[in-house]
């Protein structure tokens, strides 16, 4: 029988404030197409417009200032078309821009208290920051408190909570601290925890707080073992946050399924990208940044209806 890919109701509107590149897939280019394929209306504000991502030898382009962001938002507001169900943000380098994003999210939440803000708090990885250090307190004190879903890696989760993760128990405590800061859904996208499947896998953990009908909160926690890939991809974090937005929309109180769908999409897209990159590069040659651009359009069917290739384990603590 034919599988019918799931499409959302026509009312789901996403405001995505992210980078734009002419060539390739990062930021809005990584998020818009997959969300649109899944039936979301996506309004994009491009925080930068670059020729390509900065991993190439050369790149040129423009950066949107906080004031310019405000002007665009004012235009949307004057026409009374600023009614959103989701806001999605990723990489930012400027504190005033980030603070303007927070102001916009707060205003949109006043208009729609059910609005969900999905934030990838991009700060760094593997012990070093790749954004200016003054962004850290803005994320910690202003952004995370208004976010509903966050997707930090281990380093970012540790930085935001001030607590190190060396065991699964630590990770759960860190996710609980992040819940206390605001977000009901936390996914630590990658960690250095040892995988049960060996050193060719990395561990991801998720935690979701749900308000029960009796007013109490219940927490579901999951763990996933993700195959490591020997290549550097750009735009995967942006795709991940967009897919988590989509699949938590479809499975609002089932983090296990939402994570399985999200990680399976990532697996299919990355697998297709790496085999294509190696084909282009030729035997024994390392693929270049242009060859490693995500094979997004070619993965349309996998985005719509991913074959589940990764299973999440529900943690019982």
């Amino acid at each position: 029988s034919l599988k019918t890919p799931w499409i959302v109701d026509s009312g789901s509107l996403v405001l995505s404030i992210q980078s734009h590149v002419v060539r390739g897939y990062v930021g809005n280019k990584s998020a818009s197409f997959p969300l649109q394929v899944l039936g979301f209306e996506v309004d994009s504000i491009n925080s930068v417009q670059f020729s390509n991502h900065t991993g190439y030898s050369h790149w040129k382009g423009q950066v949107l200032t906080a004031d310019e962001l405000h002007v665009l938002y004012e235009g949307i507001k004057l026409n009374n078309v600023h009614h959103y169900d989701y806001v999605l943000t990723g990489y930012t380098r400027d504190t005033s821009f980030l603070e303007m994003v927070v102001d916009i999210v707060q205003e949109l939440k006043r208009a729609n208290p059910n609005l969900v803000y999905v934030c990838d708090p991009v700060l760094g990885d593997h012990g070093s920051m790749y954004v200016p250090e003054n962004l850290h307190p803005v994320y910690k004190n202003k952004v995370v408190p208004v976010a509903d879903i966050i997707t930090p890696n281990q380093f970012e989760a540790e930085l935001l909570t001030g607590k190190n993760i060396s065991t699964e128990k630590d990770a759960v405590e860190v996710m609980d601290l992040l819940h206390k800061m605001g977000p009901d859904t936390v996914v630590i996208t990658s960690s250095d925890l040892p995988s049960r499947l060996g050193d060719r896998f990395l561990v991801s953990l998720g935690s979701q707080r749900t308000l029960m009908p009796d007013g109490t909160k219940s927490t579901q926690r999951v763990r996933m073992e993700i195959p490591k890939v020997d290549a550097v991809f750009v735009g995967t974090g942006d795709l991940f946050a967009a897919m988590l937005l989509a699949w938590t929309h479809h499975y609002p109180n089932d983090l296990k399924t939402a994570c399985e769908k999200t990680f399976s999409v990532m697996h299919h897209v990355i697998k297709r990208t790496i085999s294509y990159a190696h084909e282009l590069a030729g035997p024994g040659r390392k693929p270049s940044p242009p060859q490693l651009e995500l094979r997004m359009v070619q993965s349309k069917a996998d985005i719509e209806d991913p074959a589940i290739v990764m299973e999440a384990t529900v943690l019982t603590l």
Side-chain angles (χ1 to χ4, degrees):
S1 68
L2 279 173
K3 278 187 178 176
T4 311
W6 169 76
I7 298 293
V8 301
D9 55 87
S10 60
S12 295
L13 277 164
V14 181
L15 176 63
S16 183
I17 307 173
Q18 300 195 66
S19 314
H20 171 78
V21 286
V22 177
R23 167 81 196 179
Y25 291 94
V26 299
N28 277 331
K29 285 281 292 283
S30 252
S32 298
F33 174 76
L35 286 169
Q36 288 165 331
V37 157
L38 288 167
F40 290 83
E41 284 285 354
V42 183
D43 287 3
S44 303
I45 294 179
N46 297 328
S47 56
V48 308
Q49 175 169 259
F50 285 172
S51 52
N52 44 266
H53 73 68
T54 56
Y56 283 65
S57 311
H58 309 279
W59 52 275
K60 302 271 184 193
Q62 302 81 35
V63 177
L64 196 74
T65 66
D67 288 343
E68 289 164 340
L69 168 62
H70 184 66
V71 167
L72 290 173
Y73 175 65
E74 282 297 309
I76 295 166
K77 213 165 78 173
L78 287 168
N79 289 305
N80 198 27
V81 287
H82 61 301
H83 306 286
Y84 292 100
D85 302 296
Y86 289 91
V87 174
L88 176 61
T89 66
Y91 178 75
T92 305
R93 286 192 65 83
D94 180 69
T95 51
S96 59
F97 191 91
L98 200 51
E99 285 169 342
M100 183 61 70
V101 167
V102 172
D103 290 346
I104 290 170
V105 168
Q106 286 174 321
E107 191 169 297
L108 292 173
K109 282 192 169 194
R110 284 193 290 274
N112 174 15
N114 296 320
L115 180 140
V116 172
Y117 174 27
V118 181
C119 170
D120 184 5
V122 181
L123 289 163
D125 205 355
H126 302 301
S128 62
M129 287 183 71
Y130 41 61
V131 298
E133 287 197 14
N134 58 1
L135 264 76
H136 176 216
V138 181
Y139 271 113
K140 185 174 181 173
N141 303 322
K142 295 182 179 179
V143 181
V144 173
V146 296
D148 301 282
I149 299 175
I150 59 168
T151 59
N153 57 36
Q154 176 177 331
F155 173 69
E156 290 158 346
E158 290 174 336
L159 212 50
L160 290 167
T161 57
K163 182 177 167 59
N164 285 346
I165 297 173
S166 45
T167 64
E168 190 179 274
K169 185 172 171 288
D170 291 339
V172 168
E173 285 170 13
V174 163
M175 292 190 291
D176 284 346
L177 286 170
L178 288 166
H179 286 319
K180 286 196 180 85
M181 289 165 73
D184 280 335
T185 303
V186 175
V187 176
I188 298 175
T189 53
S190 61
S191 75
D192 299 327
L193 294 178
S195 167
R196 290 159 192 163
L197 300 177
D199 60 8
R200 292 177 63 187
F201 288 78
L202 57 83
V203 174
S204 174
L205 297 122
S207 180
Q208 186 172 56
R209 275 193 319 192
T210 309
L211 193 61
M212 305 306 279
D214 64 359
T216 60
K217 287 200 169 175
S218 127
T219 306
Q220 185 190 44
R221 299 185 184 94
V222 298
R223 172 184 171 124
M224 296 192 77
E225 322 283 322
I226 315 297
K228 286 180 183 172
V229 181
D230 185 23
V232 177
F233 297 99
V234 180
T236 45
D238 308 318
L239 174 62
F240 183 90
M243 290 298 86
L244 191 65
L245 183 162
W247 294 114
T248 52
H249 177 95
H250 190 38
Y251 299 98
N253 299 316
D254 181 1
L255 186 63
K256 180 183 189 292
T257 303
C259 280
E260 288 172 347
K261 295 266 191 187
T262 300
F263 277 104
S264 293
V265 169
M266 300 305 298
H267 176 81
H268 296 306
V269 173
I270 287 170
K271 200 174 166 191
R272 179 172 288 106
T273 301
I274 201 147
S275 64
Y276 180 75
H278 283 305
E279 201 181 299
L280 285 182
R285 296 188 64 171
K286 201 174 169 211
S288 66
Q291 291 168 338
L292 285 165
E293 289 286 5
L294 297 178
R295 301 291 283 164
M296 198 74 78
V297 173
Q298 297 78 5
S299 302
K300 178 176 173 284
D302 291 318
I303 292 163
E304 285 178 301
D305 189 22
I308 302 304
V309 290
M310 294 193 189
E311 207 169 320
T313 311
V314 175
L315 299 180
T316 48
L317 298 163

